[in-house]
């Protein structure tokens, strides 16, 4: 009785070629269908890019990283203003700084909701987070834009940066309003993809405007050294008291 050998690598290679061929055929069919108008192209909302599977995990990861970086910017901005305008030196600026920071932190809570609850499974919670992230976030940046004109003592602050912030804030409100209006039109239009595409494009532009706004803080942040410092004091009976009076050690260059 003869021995038979199976050429498994060849079989696997054949199957791989078959899968690649079917994938190519589907891609060509999709391109042909979109060209002929049988299938309409779709430009996704930001949330649609991370709705299912591995894309949902990547979406959450990236949003959490973005939220953490935004938190660092908001915190540094708060400390920067507090150092230059203490409660004794300028009470109104001190209070406005606190209010503005609270608004910024509320917008970050919206980002946490957006990244945690996907639109496909928890649409209500996701949309609530989006309103907080974009609506309250844009309000925070607008408050910073107006506030900047009253912070002349901060090193690096100048009228050009303040004007750029105002322009960006106006554009943010315009695109935020446009996204809201066009999205309502899309809901009322029986899912017209052309209207959805317009809303999605407006939303993406709004997201980029918000992201680029934080870059306007660089000319002011670069004049400071930021360090986290913890001093151990009064070590008695195995008890350690942490001096929290100087969490941020800020020194102007």
């Amino acid at each position: 009785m003869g021995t038979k050998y199976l050429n498994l690598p060849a079989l696997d290679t054949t199957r791989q070629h078959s899968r690649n061929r079917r994938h190519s055929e589907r891609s060509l069919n999709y391109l042909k269908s979109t060209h002929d108008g049988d299938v309409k192209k779709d430009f996704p909302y930001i949330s649609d890019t991370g709705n299912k599977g591995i894309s949902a995990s990547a979406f959450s990861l990236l949003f959490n990283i973005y939220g953490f970086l935004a938190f660092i910017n908001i915190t540094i901005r708060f400390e920067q203003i507090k150092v230059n305008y203490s409660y004794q030196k300028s009470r109104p600026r001190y209070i406005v700084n606190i209010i503005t920071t609270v608004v910024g932190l509320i917008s970050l809570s919206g980002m946490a909701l957006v990244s945690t609850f996907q639109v496909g499974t928890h649409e209500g919670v996701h949309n609530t987070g989006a309103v907080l992230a974009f609506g309250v976030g844009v309000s925070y940046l607008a408050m910073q834009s107006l506030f900047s004109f009253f912070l002349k003592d901060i090193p690096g602050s100048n009228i050009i940066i303040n004007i750029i912030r105002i322009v960006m804030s106006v554009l943010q409100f315009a695109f935020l309003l446009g996204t809201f209006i066009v999205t309502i039109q899309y809901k009322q239009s029986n899912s017209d993809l052309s209207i959805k595409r317009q809303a999605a494009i407006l939303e993406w532009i709004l997201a980029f405007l918000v992201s680029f706004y934080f870059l306007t803080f660089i000319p002011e942040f670069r004049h400071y050294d930021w360090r986290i410092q913890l001093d151990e004091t009064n070590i008695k009976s195995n008890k350690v008291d942490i001096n929290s009076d100087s969490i941020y050690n800020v020194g102007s260059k």
Side-chain angles (χ1 to χ4, degrees):
M1 185 174 182
T3 303
K4 296 182 179 179
Y5 297 94
L6 295 178
N7 191 353
L8 294 180
L11 180 60
D12 292 340
T13 302
T14 302
R15 289 178 176 174
Q16 183 63 36
H17 287 323
S18 178
R19 286 195 293 266
N20 291 339
R21 185 172 62 254
R22 289 196 299 270
H23 179 73
S24 299
E25 290 174 353
R26 286 195 295 267
S27 299
L28 291 175
N29 288 336
Y30 174 77
L31 292 175
K32 184 177 184 303
S33 299
T34 54
H35 180 269
D36 294 341
D38 297 330
V39 176
K40 295 183 178 180
K41 298 179 181 179
D42 187 19
F43 191 89
Y45 285 106
I46 296 175
S47 301
D48 293 337
T49 62
N51 193 18
K52 298 179 180 179
I54 187 65
S55 62
S57 300
F59 179 86
S60 297
L61 176 62
L62 293 175
F63 246 75
N64 287 328
I65 294 174
Y66 182 89
F68 176 70
L69 295 176
F71 171 77
I72 292 177
N73 277 274
I74 292 173
T75 303
I76 291 178
R77 183 63 171 174
F78 169 77
E79 292 292 336
Q80 180 190 46
I81 297 174
K82 188 177 73 171
V83 166
N84 288 273
Y85 298 96
S86 63
Y87 183 80
Q88 292 76 14
K89 182 178 179 180
S90 178
R91 184 179 302 180
R93 291 180 177 86
Y94 185 87
I95 295 175
V96 172
N97 186 30
I98 294 177
I99 295 174
T100 304
T101 303
V102 170
V103 173
L105 295 178
I106 292 175
S107 70
L108 293 184
S109 68
M111 293 190 63
L113 293 177
V114 169
S115 65
T116 305
F117 300 95
Q118 308 303 326
V119 67
T121 55
H122 303 86
E123 184 176 1
V125 180
H126 182 90
N127 290 338
T128 300
V131 171
L132 291 175
F134 280 116
V136 181
V138 168
S139 299
Y140 165 75
L141 298 180
M143 294 173 70
Q144 284 291 346
S145 298
L146 295 174
F147 200 20
S148 297
F149 287 94
F150 301 93
L151 304 175
K152 298 180 181 180
D153 292 343
I154 292 181
S157 176
N158 59 72
I159 189 64
I160 296 178
I161 294 177
N162 296 341
I163 293 176
I164 291 175
R165 287 173 181 163
I166 285 292
V167 172
M168 294 186 71
S169 292
V170 171
L171 291 175
Q172 288 166 9
F173 269 112
F175 280 99
L176 178 64
L177 182 62
T179 302
F180 179 74
I181 294 175
V182 178
T183 299
I184 293 179
Q185 292 177 349
Y186 167 67
K187 298 293 185 181
Q188 298 175 347
S189 66
N190 196 21
S191 300
D192 188 338
L193 291 182
S194 62
I195 299 179
K196 178 185 178 182
R197 191 178 305 115
Q198 296 174 15
I201 292 174
L202 291 174
E203 183 188 52
W204 278 97
I205 295 176
L206 172 62
F208 279 108
L209 283 173
V210 171
S211 301
F212 289 146
Y213 185 96
F214 287 103
L215 298 178
T216 64
F217 291 134
I218 293 178
E220 296 168 350
F221 286 173
R222 69 183 183 86
H223 288 274
Y224 294 81
D225 289 328
W226 302 90
R227 295 186 299 272
I228 298 177
Q229 179 176 314
L230 296 177
D231 296 327
E232 295 183 358
T233 59
N234 300 328
I235 302 178
K236 296 180 180 179
S237 302
N238 295 326
K239 294 182 180 180
V240 179
D241 295 329
I242 303 299
N243 181 7
S244 60
D245 293 335
S246 181
I247 295 180
Y248 291 89
N249 187 351
V250 185
S252 179
K253 288 184 178 180

